[in-house]
């Protein structure tokens, strides 16, 4: 009889994922403190929002006083993929209860989803308890890491002297460079250039008739649609 993987097995399996969260979570904590957030606010963001990219986006948009409606919609669109990932989980765990399904979907991340799919593909006898262990381990690591980063940031009396106040801008520049590098490796150059130019033009035109926040949102959505249509096999 094959072994059924349980909660503690899931926590052990999530250790590599958790190690990756430590540096990113600490960076978020430091950046958030540099933007004027308090320790308890960082804790609330990590506990209640729990979305790495979403949290960075939120403090970036809050820093420029973007409307709450635009922030909410942006984070929703950025994390919409989680709906699709949760639907995949229902195919792997078709007999889970409603409360387990809600808990699993709420705490699922890109990394825990990837781990789930990989283990399922290799025939590992994973269970809902195993998946909850993966999610809980990742969740707790993220919270602790962001709080650690925030605590370290609090020890720096004048973060602007060390350029930490620029860390948010630098991080988004880094994400842009990494994204472009990934796109160039996986997509034809003409598609990458078309998406970039189209997004820039749409942003410029939309910025004339609406606010910069809405213009960014419109350019992002249309740019993504253009890329998706061009990448679809004929």
């Amino acid at each position: 009889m094959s072994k059924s993987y349980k909660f503690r097995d899931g926590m052990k399996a999530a250790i590599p994922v958790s190690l990756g969260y430590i540096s990113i979570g600490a960076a978020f904590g430091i950046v958030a403190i540099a933007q004027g957030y308090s320790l308890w606010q960082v804790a609330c963001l990590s506990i209640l929002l729990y979305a790495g990219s979403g949290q960075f986006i939120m403090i970036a948009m809050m820093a420029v006083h973007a409307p709450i409606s635009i922030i909410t919609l942006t984070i929703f669109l950025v994390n919409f993929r989680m709906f699709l990932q949760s639907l995949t989980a229902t195919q792997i765990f078709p007999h889970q209860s409603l409360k387990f399904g809600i808990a699993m979907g709420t705490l699922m991340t890109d990394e825990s989803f990837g781990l789930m799919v990989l283990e399922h593909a290799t025939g590992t006898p994973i269970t809902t308890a195993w998946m909850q262990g993966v999610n809980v381990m990742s969740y707790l690591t993220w919270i602790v890491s962001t709080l650690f980063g925030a605590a370290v940031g609090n020890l720096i009396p004048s973060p602007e002297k060390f350029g930490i106040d620029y860390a948010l801008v630098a991080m988004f520049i880094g994400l842009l460079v990494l994204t472009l590098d990934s796109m160039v490796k996986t997509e034809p150059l003409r598609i990458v250039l078309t998406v970039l130019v189209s997004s820039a033009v749409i942003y410029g035109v939309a910025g004339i008739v609406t606010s910069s926040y809405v213009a960014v949102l419109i350019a992002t959505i249309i740019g993504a649609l253009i890329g998706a249509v061009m990448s679809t096999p004929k």
Side-chain angles (χ1 to χ4, degrees):
M1 182 180 294
S2 61
K3 171 188 175 183
S4 293
Y5 280 49
K6 304 191 182 300
F7 185 87
R8 63 176 178 273
D9 297 310
M11 296 191 75
K12 292 178 181 178
I15 290 177
V17 171
S18 299
L19 291 176
Y21 282 178
I22 293 175
S23 57
I24 302 174
F28 171 76
I30 293 173
V31 169
I33 289 295
Q35 293 296 317
Y37 287 77
S38 65
L39 193 62
W40 73 268
Q41 287 174 323
V42 172
C44 286
L45 278 173
S46 295
I47 294 171
L48 301 177
L49 181 55
Y50 184 45
S53 58
Q55 289 178 220
F56 281 107
I57 290 171
M58 181 174 179
I59 62 174
M61 297 185 75
M62 290 288 286
V64 295
H65 308 292
I68 295 299
S69 58
I70 298 299
I71 296 175
T72 302
L73 182 57
T74 301
I75 294 176
F76 173 79
L77 291 174
V78 168
N79 290 282
F80 186 78
R81 67 191 185 283
M82 306 312 300
F83 285 101
L84 303 178
Q85 293 179 3
S86 295
L87 286 175
T88 301
T90 63
Q91 303 304 307
I92 296 177
F93 305 109
H95 304 299
Q96 63 180 319
S97 65
L98 178 61
K99 66 177 183 179
F100 270 95
I102 292 175
M104 186 182 298
T106 300
L107 296 183
M108 185 174 291
T109 64
D110 293 326
E111 293 76 18
S112 63
F113 172 78
L115 186 59
M116 175 190 71
V117 172
L118 177 62
E119 295 296 329
H120 178 68
T122 57
T124 302
I126 56 177
T127 61
T128 54
W130 177 89
M131 191 60 200
Q132 301 295 357
V134 170
N135 285 340
V136 169
M137 181 67 173
S138 304
Y139 181 52
L140 294 178
T141 302
W142 177 257
I143 295 172
V144 172
S145 299
T146 56
L147 288 177
F148 172 76
V152 171
N154 264 331
L155 297 177
I156 304 174
S158 301
E160 64 276 0
K161 292 183 179 179
F162 301 93
I164 295 178
D165 55 332
Y166 184 72
L168 188 60
V169 177
M171 180 161 291
F172 274 100
I173 291 175
L175 290 174
L176 175 61
V177 172
L178 291 174
T179 300
L180 291 177
D181 180 64
S182 176
M183 289 175 64
V184 170
K185 290 179 179 178
T186 58
E187 299 290 345
L189 185 59
R190 63 180 181 82
I191 295 180
V192 177
L193 292 176
T194 301
V195 171
L196 290 176
V197 173
S198 300
S199 299
V201 171
I202 293 168
Y203 171 75
V205 173
I208 298 175
V209 296
T210 186
S211 67
S212 59
Y213 318 118
V214 177
V216 169
L217 201 57
I218 293 173
T220 300
I221 295 173
I222 297 179
L225 288 175
I226 292 173
V229 171
M230 293 185 68
S231 299
T232 302
K234 298 297 188 293

